[in-house]
Amino acid sequence: MRTRPVAVTAVVVTAVAGLVGGCGERKLDCSPPEAGHDQSVGRTVVLVDVTASIRSAGAAPDYPTALIAQINGAVTRGDVVTVGSFDGSAATVRWTVTDYPTASTRNRDKRRKADEDRARACLGQATRQAAMARAGVAGTDLLGALAVAGRHTNATVGRRTVVIATDGLSTVGCADFGVRPVGSDKMIEAAVAECPDRPDWPVDLAGTHLMLLGLGHPAEGQPVPETGHLAWLRQYWEKVCLTAQAAACDISTSPVPVISDGAKDGGSGAAAPHPDPQVTFVPGAGPPVHRPDFVTYPVPSAALFATGSHAITPRGRERLRQVAEDVTSRYGIAAVQVVGHTDSRNSPAHNQRLSERRAESAARLLGDLGLPVTEIRGAGEKELLCPREQRADGTWDQDCLQLNRRVEIIVTRESG
């Protein structure tokens, strides 16, 4: 499995066309600043899903509003931002603004603030314009959108983040929910085992901060997912995120703002020209568990420890420092859990002890770095991310083993 351990920001947004009209908006000078930008800064790519499942003449997700916090965060970080829309094919991604530098080069605080305010306004306007686009082809190609976003952010050494605001109801490619009722654990296992070998797999997500907004909340007229279905969608896309080796997986099923009469401003709304197959779930599928939104930072054991050891290496200390810095700069924190994981080689008892010791070592260092841990747990080999560790010929799949050997730092976000 190919990996590219670099860092950037990308936001993929599923939005309703015509949610916000352009009429009445004051004219903004949104020409990019003349000064060149530092290639080491982060990048944010905003992709707006304009497919049929999130369009309605009634209540529909208002993703431009939901993304305000993410746009503000990208500007605060000084990221270079790209905004566009996607539908049922990676080939039809369309940009409304590309590589917009948000970091001000001016010396005076007042002028810097004015530059930042202009960047926020321009990027908000670009997000609304993207949300009003018509889908070019049928379906929802979420994996394809992720692949495009990952590629666009991969030309930098700065921090990378992929934020996707979507109902998560993909109907194209390996993640096709439209062909049969969905909701089984076997479907998740098959996705993480088979999809990475497909040409549409988003290999460039490796090293990114991935955020999914609005999972399980389509437009009016679509089937309403049950609580268990929301939990299943979260599990599915988190497993995809972890398997793609993202640096952080922020997967949310919390409701997003809605707007009534999605077609009122001349957008596609109910007149979406390309239908999307309705996604149906197995009745009662998924665990009916509700918990606050949380973010998972999966750190490969090889980045923290020597083989068979629970002592953190100097490189591992730096990696945990980066995680602590990222967590505290992005989130209000309610709780932090550290969970150690191993592959299934060696005995279950050995793996359990090793996972516990590694979790304890990581938790101590995170506490020293100002990120106090509220819970420590060793999972041993019980929660394999990649269950097919051995090939048919009996040899070990090293990429699979590497995915399973990890320490997860799970941050529960403060509500609101």
Side-chain angles (χ1 to χ4, degrees):
M1 185 181 301
R2 184 159 58 98
T3 62
R4 298 185 181 178
V6 281
V8 186
T9 307
V11 182
V12 182
V13 184
T14 301
V16 178
L19 290 184
V20 182
C23 297
E25 286 190 352
R26 65 185 179 87
K27 183 67 176 178
L28 291 169
D29 176 13
C30 291
S31 55
E34 294 182 3
H37 57 270
D38 184 351
Q39 292 297 321
S40 67
V41 301
R43 286 178 182 260
T44 300
V45 177
V46 182
L47 282 178
V48 182
D49 180 346
V50 294
T51 62
S53 67
I54 45 77
R55 296 172 183 265
S56 174
D62 182 2
Y63 288 122
T65 297
L67 283 164
I68 289 174
Q70 303 307 316
I71 293 294
N72 289 346
V75 174
T76 299
R77 294 189 299 270
D79 290 350
V80 175
V81 180
T82 295
V83 179
S85 62
F86 77 95
D87 45 44
S89 170
T92 51
V93 168
R94 290 168 291 178
W95 305 117
T96 55
V97 63
T98 58
D99 299 336
Y100 189 98
T102 65
S104 176
T105 58
R106 298 207 265 187
N107 294 325
R108 295 185 179 180
D109 290 345
K110 186 175 181 179
R111 290 183 175 179
R112 282 200 300 272
K113 184 179 184 304
D115 286 346
E116 291 177 357
D117 289 344
R118 182 170 74 103
R120 291 186 176 95
C122 288
L123 293 172
Q125 178 175 278
T127 303
R128 293 191 295 274
Q129 290 171 347
M132 293 172 67
R134 288 179 178 268
V137 296
T140 301
D141 187 4
L142 189 48
L143 281 181
L146 285 170
V148 171
R151 285 196 298 271
H152 194 84
T153 62
N154 216 9
T156 180
V157 296
R159 185 179 313 189
R160 307 166 58 211
T161 305
V162 176
V163 181
I164 304 180
T166 178
D167 59 13
L169 304 179
S170 186
T171 59
V172 171
C174 192
D176 186 351
F177 297 168
V179 295
R180 61 188 181 280
V182 298
S184 69
D185 290 341
K186 289 184 178 179
M187 188 171 180
I188 298 177
E189 292 177 5
V192 299
E194 299 167 7
C195 292
D197 294 328
R198 298 274 295 267
D200 58 346
W201 181 252
V203 294
D204 293 306
L205 283 184
T208 64
H209 186 122
L210 174 61
M211 182 175 190
L212 301 184
L213 286 172
L215 288 183
H217 298 283
E220 186 175 335
Q222 300 291 324
V224 178
E226 300 172 8
T227 302
H229 301 158
L230 294 180
W232 185 89
L233 277 172
R234 194 197 189 287
Q235 290 178 348
Y236 184 97
W237 289 111
E238 183 175 48
K239 284 291 184 71
V240 168
C241 177
L242 295 172
T243 304
Q245 301 184 54
C249 300
D250 187 350
I251 316 297
S252 175
T253 57
S254 292
V256 296
V258 298
I259 188 167
S260 297
D261 191 7
K264 67 181 180 181
D265 290 319
S268 297
H274 299 291
D276 216 356
Q278 282 197 341
V279 173
T280 59
F281 287 83
V282 175
V289 175
H290 173 75
R291 59 175 291 184
D293 281 342
F294 59 96
V295 188
T296 302
Y297 287 78
V299 184
S301 291
L304 298 176
F305 312 102
T307 302
S309 172
H310 63 273
I312 299 177
T313 64
R315 183 176 67 142
R317 289 175 175 272
E318 175 59 20
R319 183 67 176 269
L320 291 180
R321 185 197 65 76
Q322 293 171 354
V323 170
E325 180 183 280
D326 195 76
V327 171
T328 54
S329 67
R330 290 178 185 264
Y331 300 108
I333 304 164
V336 178
Q337 179 186 36
V338 176
V339 184
H341 299 267
T342 69
D343 57 42
S344 64
R345 297 179 301 175
N346 295 311
S347 70
H350 170 86
N351 291 333
Q352 181 64 33
R353 287 193 300 272
L354 181 60
S355 68
E356 292 171 355
R357 290 168 180 168
R358 286 181 165 178
E360 290 165 358
S361 296
R364 280 195 298 270
L365 181 55
L366 288 171
D368 292 342
L369 292 168
L371 191 65
V373 175
T374 53
E375 183 180 350
I376 304 169
R377 181 168 66 89
E381 60 186 70
K382 297 174 185 175
E383 300 174 14
L384 298 179
L385 180 61
C386 180
R388 303 177 187 178
E389 294 181 319
Q390 283 187 288
R391 302 184 180 94
D393 62 3
T395 60
W396 294 100
D397 184 328
Q398 294 301 321
D399 288 335
C400 187
L401 294 172
Q402 179 179 318
L403 284 172
N404 291 332
R405 298 189 299 265
R406 66 197 189 278
V407 171
E408 291 182 351
I409 301 155
I410 303 170
V411 180
T412 300
R413 294 187 286 171
E414 288 182 340
S415 60

